Amino acid sequence: LEEVLRSGADVQFKELPAELETSELRVREATASDPLTKFAWLTGVGVLYGDVPQEDDASLGSAKLLSYPATAGSKPPVSMLLTEFHLLLLYASPARLVSVSTLSGEVVSEEVIPAAWGPVRGMSADNAVQHGMYSVWLYTETSLAEIVVNNEDRYVWRLYMERKLWDTALEFTHHGHEKDIILRARADHHWKQEQFTLAASVYASTKASFEGIVLKFLNSGHMDALRVFLQEKLKVLGKEQKTKE
């Protein structure tokens, strides 16, 4: 950093107010589901979170400030960890661990830390994922606790669906009924946008009532879209029959 400042280069920076005794900067390496390296910086007013700038783009334009939860009190966290989909915030008084979704900014869990463990000091993560699980180590003045994180992405598909990122949402599903919920929401969205042919194509891949969808198109007079629905439904049924054979 000192060399950069001395060089006189045109450096972009972001200044944030802070009244912290210590701060933390966390970096999470790229993953199969997210090819960009992420960073999170613990500040006095929130966590600055975003993509680590690439060589051809040194700006922090994609970064966003996630405010601390209103229920957390006036003092900022003493430590923080960045996972694939969450920020883990460790508070000292009262001692508790708060999990915040980086997709929605909402608190998804809050765990009270027993007073018998002593004053909390910090956290560290073991990023070796085994069977969808990894460990977070929380340490106090007298204790060391292991917190096992399991199936962190189980509700991620719903958050992407709410943003209408349909393909991404489908990538994070674990069960067939989740895929069907996404496809129905996508088809309904196309219908509302009066994209009736697209809606018909997607409806054909859902488990929605065949008679109900046919009547939907008949009553609205969209015969071309109905024809697409019937053609696509026959293709889907043909594939299902071959799978059973």
Side-chain angles (χ1 to χ4, degrees):
L1 179 59
E2 184 178 355
E3 293 180 0
V4 172
L5 294 175
R6 285 181 177 178
S7 68
D10 183 15
V11 180
Q12 297 185 18
F13 64 91
K14 185 182 291 287
E15 184 176 0
L16 294 171
E19 294 182 1
L20 295 174
E21 294 181 3
T22 60
S23 180
E24 290 184 344
L25 177 65
R26 302 284 188 175
V27 176
R28 183 181 61 78
E29 296 295 331
T31 64
S33 61
D34 188 348
L36 297 176
T37 301
K38 304 290 186 182
F39 78 92
W41 174 29
L42 190 67
T43 77
V45 293
V47 177
L48 187 66
Y49 164 81
D51 301 330
V52 172
Q54 305 299 303
E55 293 182 2
D56 57 345
D57 180 13
S59 70
L60 294 176
S62 64
K64 57 183 178 181
L65 185 68
L66 296 178
S67 300
Y68 296 128
T71 58
S74 58
K75 292 186 178 180
V78 297
S79 187
M80 165 199 65
L81 280 179
L82 175 62
T83 71
E84 188 170 2
F85 300 107
H86 297 88
L87 282 170
L88 303 182
L89 306 175
L90 179 63
Y91 290 87
S93 180
R96 62 208 185 282
L97 181 63
V98 179
S99 176
V100 179
S101 168
T102 53
L103 295 176
S104 67
E106 297 178 355
V107 174
V108 295
S109 68
E110 183 170 342
E111 301 294 334
V112 176
I113 299 170
W117 291 7
V120 297
R121 288 292 177 258
M123 293 185 295
S124 184
D126 182 354
N127 293 321
V129 179
Q130 295 183 346
H131 306 294
M133 299 184 294
Y134 63 92
S135 296
V136 170
W137 296 93
L138 185 153
Y139 52 93
T140 72
E141 285 190 357
T142 59
S143 305
L144 177 65
E146 180 185 16
I147 301 171
V148 178
V149 180
N150 185 25
N151 295 326
E152 183 186 6
D153 65 348
R154 61 186 179 278
Y155 298 125
V156 167
W157 64 271
R158 187 176 293 278
L159 293 174
Y160 281 121
M161 181 185 70
E162 291 172 354
R163 295 183 176 191
K164 298 179 176 57
L165 298 174
W166 314 113
D167 293 336
T168 305
L170 288 169
E171 291 175 7
F172 285 98
T173 56
H174 298 279
H175 307 285
H177 75 275
E178 296 171 349
K179 293 182 179 179
D180 193 61
I181 291 172
I182 295 169
L183 291 173
R184 291 196 196 196
R186 184 175 191 171
D188 290 342
H189 171 73
H190 289 317
W191 178 273
K192 291 177 182 177
Q193 297 297 313
E194 298 185 356
Q195 299 170 323
F196 301 111
T197 301
L198 277 175
S201 180
V202 179
Y203 275 131
S205 298
T206 72
K207 297 185 182 302
S209 166
F210 178 83
E211 294 83 358
I213 299 301
V214 170
L215 287 174
K216 187 182 185 78
F217 286 109
L218 282 174
N219 293 337
S220 60
H222 299 295
M223 305 309 294
D224 289 339
L226 174 58
R227 188 177 299 109
V228 170
F229 171 73
L230 295 174
Q231 291 172 344
E232 294 299 318
K233 195 65 176 179
L234 285 173
K235 292 179 184 178
V236 171
L237 293 174
K239 292 178 180 179
E240 291 178 352
Q241 184 62 35
K242 288 182 179 179
T243 301
K244 292 179 181 179
E245 294 175 354

